[in-house]
Amino acid sequence: MKEEEREKVQEALSEIITRTFEKLVAIYGSHKEKHNNVPIEVAGGSRLIFPCYGEHHNPKCEVRVSEQELRFAFVEAFYEYCTKKDHLELFYSVETPTRHKYSFKEEDKPCVCDSGQSALFDLVIHNKNKQIAKK
């Protein structure tokens, strides 16, 4: 990848990550699972909800947070970026297999081998021609 292209990709990813953070901050306070008849409002351009543990009518509503909320907020921000005018033409894939197979048996370090299995990247970002970032 040329230096100019690399810089454009870094700028795009920085913008997407910033928007992801802004989105999570905006939705965390107002997008908790409905309890005590308090309605959920659309905030941060998202319909993501943080669910409560236990009883849905529990007034404490201990909120469950996992890495999945971050991943979905990132994909929402990614999609928003890609619909803007003059954006980079980016795509993503989920649970993307690695090119090589790995074995984790009886060794301190995984080995690259024919008898192993492919590892998976949770999310891979692509341009029109190739992969450019992995999570």
Side-chain angles (χ1 to χ4, degrees):
M1 183 183 303
K2 295 178 182 177
E3 187 63 32
E4 182 180 318
E5 184 181 1
R6 183 183 317 265
E7 287 177 13
K8 287 181 181 180
V9 169
Q10 287 175 340
E11 287 174 17
L13 292 177
S14 178
E15 181 179 333
I16 293 166
I17 290 167
T18 299
R19 180 63 187 130
T20 300
F21 175 74
E22 292 168 350
K23 183 181 290 288
L24 286 171
V25 168
I27 66 177
Y28 182 75
S30 63
H31 284 222
K32 294 175 184 166
E33 186 174 29
K34 186 174 182 178
H35 63 99
N36 293 339
N37 297 320
V38 177
I40 298 168
E41 296 180 16
V42 176
S46 180
R47 296 192 174 271
L48 178 65
I49 295 173
F50 290 92
C52 294
Y53 281 111
E55 297 294 323
H56 298 290
H57 60 276
N58 180 352
K60 291 183 181 178
C61 184
E62 184 182 348
V63 177
R64 185 202 52 80
V65 179
S66 75
E67 76 279 358
Q68 296 298 329
E69 284 86 8
L70 174 61
R71 185 171 300 131
F72 279 86
F74 178 87
V75 170
E76 286 180 358
F78 183 90
Y79 183 79
E80 289 168 3
Y81 169 84
C82 289
T83 59
K84 290 169 53 177
K85 185 178 180 182
D86 299 327
H87 68 277
L88 289 180
E89 195 70 29
L90 300 175
F91 302 88
Y92 67 94
S93 60
V94 179
E95 295 289 325
T96 307
T98 57
R99 290 188 179 132
H100 301 289
K101 293 184 178 187
Y102 298 87
S103 176
F104 297 89
K105 295 180 181 178
E106 300 176 26
E107 295 189 29
D108 293 336
K109 297 180 181 177
C111 73
V112 178
C113 56
D114 293 332
S115 62
Q117 69 179 35
S118 293
L120 299 173
F121 289 103
D122 288 343
L123 186 87
V124 176
I125 298 172
H126 305 259
N127 66 13
K128 289 181 180 181
N129 303 316
K130 60 185 176 256
Q131 295 177 4
I132 56 176
K134 301 171 186 168
K135 180 194 176 297

